[in-house]
Amino acid sequence: MRRPMPTKEFDLIAIGGGTAGLVAASGGAYLGARVALVEKHRLGGDCLWTGCVPSKALLAAARSAEEARKGERLGLPLLTVTPHFGEVITRVRAARALVAKHDEPDRIRARGIDVCFGSARFTGPGTVDVEGVGTLHSKRIVLATGAQPAIPPIPGLGEAGYLTHETAFEQDTLPASIVILGAGPIGLEFAQAYRRLGAEVTVIERLGEALPLDDPEAAGVVRRMLEMEGVRFAFGTTASAVETEEGSVRVLAADGREFGAESIFVATGRRPNIGELELARGDVDVTRDRVRVDARLRTTAGGVWAAGDVTGGPQFTHAADAMAKTVVRNALLPLSSKSDLSNVPRVTYTDPEIAHVGLSHTEAAARDAQVYRYEFGDLDRAIADGATAGFTKISADRRGRILGATVVGRSAGELLVPVVLARRHGLRLADISSTIFPYPTMAEGLKRTADAYQRGRLTGTAGKVLRGVVRWLK
């Protein structure tokens, strides 16, 4: 009779080998804790294998193809460049493999972390069984199991087969035509990439606009760019059924329209991975299919925290990183801290990109904020680069404190960083305006936006006083 394996004791157990789990495990080990990192499949998580890294490599290849075509719209001879999709996906996988070296198991073990591969489930408070490994116990457990695509219950969808961001990078051929369900960030990034690489693309969105969670004006800039490139949109409807034909599928919309294509891509949201954890055995409550946490990221179970997508919060790698660091402080150090995600930026990596931080401009307006903006069409570097689509828009109160900011344009995610830093540290638009920016750069758009705030200050009493002083000095 085989003896049961002894329970292994740890100071901290992180369940999930994505960003949140890796950061929590590494932080714990750095502080001297004995740490176990449990992962079902492979380290790196969604961002490395099916999200951020491969999707940006795909977008980069698609952008290279589009750059060669832009001459036609400028009245120049057309350069026909349609890269072979097999070469594109090989490059995408190569980029992913290079980044994966950062998260190789031996590299993580070198930090003093016990890496365990297998499905994890609670068997009691503080106790976790890992398939093929045995029972682990700790007074401190971090849930960081991420999320997965949420598949809508559309009749015929399963029989027809479909792609998601989890399966798209395993395809060796590009569909000749594709219908994408959902016009959020994932849907539009793939729509633009597939279109630029040669596919016919139709996007179905139940709401009346693309990127419904973003600033409507900025979303409109992106939508018009995609339409100009040939992406077709069907707004205000949903897929009610899918029919399979030989070599193709047909999506039946709720408003009676029909859309035929070779393939379907589902981008209708994501849901936390909690199904196999048996959370009830660990006294961990779930609300709306997500792990319930408080401001300090504690679950309802003593000694159990959660970080990243599994909480149902902002589903960004950088948010997961920040949450995991908060968990480490709260789990292992005497002074606890709250999770503050008010300055977490978000970026949609279409071309042009949309980047945002803080309150929406509608929310800021309710606080009597003023909106200051600058069009890239007036910016020297944007004109020189042929990247004039977009603008910078910043909402600020009367004292110039930044409440929210949106940048839509070339490299908007990079351009937003100074605003995120300024907002985080209480800097105001006057501080940005008085900063010397290099010329010519796209970042000058931020300075010009802040300059608009400074000019506005000169229309009041302060401006009258200054003009009076100038007249007196004459």
Side-chain angles (χ1 to χ4, degrees), residues 19-33:
T19 297
L22 285 164
V23 171
S26 297
Y30 181 79
L31 293 173

Side-chain angles (χ1 to χ4, degrees), residues 58-257:
L58 180 69
L59 287 167
R63 180 174 172 178
S64 296
E66 179 62 18
E67 288 292 338
R69 301 188 190 101
K70 278 189 175 180
E72 182 182 37
R73 294 197 291 272
L74 297 174
L76 301 174
L78 175 63
L79 296 176
T80 302
V81 178
T82 303
H84 189 277
F85 188 75
E87 296 175 349
V88 170
I89 204 66
T90 296
R91 184 188 182 281
V92 168
R93 292 168 185 167
R96 185 172 61 181
L98 284 173
V99 176
K101 292 182 179 180
H102 300 158
D103 299 328
E104 288 179 343
D106 287 345
R107 187 169 182 171
I108 304 305
R109 292 187 178 105
R111 301 173 189 171
I113 299 169
D114 193 336
V115 179
C116 307
F117 286 100
S119 298
R121 63 183 182 88
F122 278 92
T123 56
T127 304
V128 177
D129 181 73
V130 180
E131 182 182 12
V133 175
T135 301
L136 313 183
H137 179 268
S138 178
K139 295 179 180 179
R140 306 170 190 87
I141 297 176
V142 183
L143 302 178
T145 49
Q148 61 182 302
I151 307 303
I154 301 172
L157 179 62
E159 293 79 2
Y162 54 86
L163 295 174
T164 69
H165 73 86
E166 287 192 341
T167 59
F169 302 111
E170 306 310 315
Q171 304 297 307
D172 294 321
T173 58
L174 177 72
S177 56
I178 191 164
V179 172
I180 296 179
L181 307 183
I186 294 175
L188 289 202
E189 287 181 15
F190 275 94
Q192 188 172 44
Y194 283 152
R195 178 61 192 139
R196 286 179 164 187
L197 292 172
E200 296 294 324
V201 179
T202 301
V203 179
I204 299 176
E205 169 57 49
R206 65 182 180 85
L207 300 178
E209 184 55 274
L211 301 172
L213 299 182
D214 275 294
D215 176 71
E217 191 178 11
V221 172
V222 172
R223 187 204 73 222
R224 288 190 292 274
M225 180 63 75
L226 266 66
E227 287 177 332
M228 184 176 70
E229 293 179 4
V231 175
R232 294 184 292 268
F233 288 94
F235 292 115
T237 191
T238 59
S240 59
V242 176
E243 296 178 350
T244 304
E245 302 173 357
E246 186 174 351
S248 65
V249 295
R250 183 166 298 279
V251 179
L252 310 181
D255 61 2
R257 286 182 284 178

